[in-house]
Amino acid sequence: MATSISSFLLLLLILSCAINSTPVASSKHGNDYLISSEIISHPAVEKQSHFRFYWHDIHSGPNPTNVHVAQAAETNKSSTFFGVVNMIDDPLTTGPDLSSKLVGRAQGIIAGAGIYKLEYLMAMNLVFTDGKYNGSTIAILGRNEVFTAVREMPIVGGSGLFRFARGYVQARTYSHDLVTRDAVVEYNVFVNHY
């Protein structure tokens, strides 16, 4: 009886390995670019980390971190900057004062996407430059309605320690100068990662 059970368990193990390691060939379906597709399980436990830092968007002075790179012909007539495209390399600090500890940079594109409201398309990477997370990134792609108290944008990926990241960020304006357009925004980042 023990031999029969052992044989049965061995057969199940062999079948399980064969099923989990067999690539799916898909050339019959026109997907010649798919090399293989395998069922995987991630050995690590997913966790959620909460980071808070301050995003310094600087338009003024000798070293701006937000620069205008393009605009549509109609942008000059728009009260919402619809059609404008800016590149950013904004410092991320632990406190609202620019002289507080630098922990990273927000690098990417901000584009005026709202015709009727001040709304931006945000496509940026939060690039960590400090401590354990140095060199890792969190990718954000979403809508930012600037005058809303709390804006939520999705995390669409990451690199380094944030590979396979997902989650969301909440942005709250800490300060904004209407003349220079310089702003400090508190970012709360809720990221699920392995």
Side-chain angles (χ1 to χ4, degrees), residues 4-60:
S4 296
I5 293 173
S6 297
S7 297
F8 179 71
L9 290 175
L10 182 60
L11 179 62
L12 282 177
L13 178 63
I14 291 169
L15 287 174
S16 174
C17 290
I19 290 169
N20 286 335
S21 64
T22 304
V24 175
S26 58
S27 60
K28 288 191 262 182
H29 304 291
N31 292 332
D32 294 335
Y33 52 88
L34 177 63
I35 304 303
S36 69
S37 180
E38 299 178 18
I39 297 171
I40 61 169
S41 61
H42 206 286
V45 175
E46 185 177 31
K47 59 187 167 190
Q48 184 177 78
S49 297
H50 176 195
F51 297 94
R52 180 179 56 224
F53 38 73
Y54 292 83
W55 182 83
H56 298 268
D57 195 43
I58 304 165
H59 293 258
S60 66

Side-chain angles (χ1 to χ4, degrees), residues 63-172:
N63 299 308
T65 62
N66 182 326
V67 295
H68 179 81
V69 294
Q71 72 181 40
E74 298 298 313
T75 300
N76 288 333
K77 300 175 189 173
S78 172
S79 62
T80 63
F81 302 105
F82 180 67
V84 73
V85 178
N86 285 21
M87 295 297 297
I88 63 166
D89 187 2
D90 291 340
L92 301 172
T93 62
T94 57
D97 192 323
L98 186 56
S99 64
S100 59
K101 183 179 179 181
L102 180 71
V103 294
R105 314 244 0 139
Q107 297 175 331
I109 300 170
I110 300 174
I115 293 175
Y116 304 109
K117 294 183 192 176
L118 189 57
E119 300 166 314
Y120 289 111
L121 168 67
M122 308 285 283
M124 66 180 170
N125 288 309
L126 304 179
V127 181
F128 289 81
T129 59
D130 183 63
K132 172 182 174 179
Y133 302 103
N134 185 20
S136 296
T137 67
I138 294 173
I140 296 168
L141 177 65
R143 173 180 173 265
N144 183 352
E145 188 178 333
V146 176
F147 293 120
T148 301
V150 179
R151 287 91 67 195
E152 189 171 295
M153 292 169 276
I155 293 172
V156 296
S159 67
L161 293 177
F162 300 112
R163 192 174 295 143
F164 297 115
R166 60 191 176 89
Y168 63 98
V169 299
Q170 291 181 331
R172 292 174 177 85

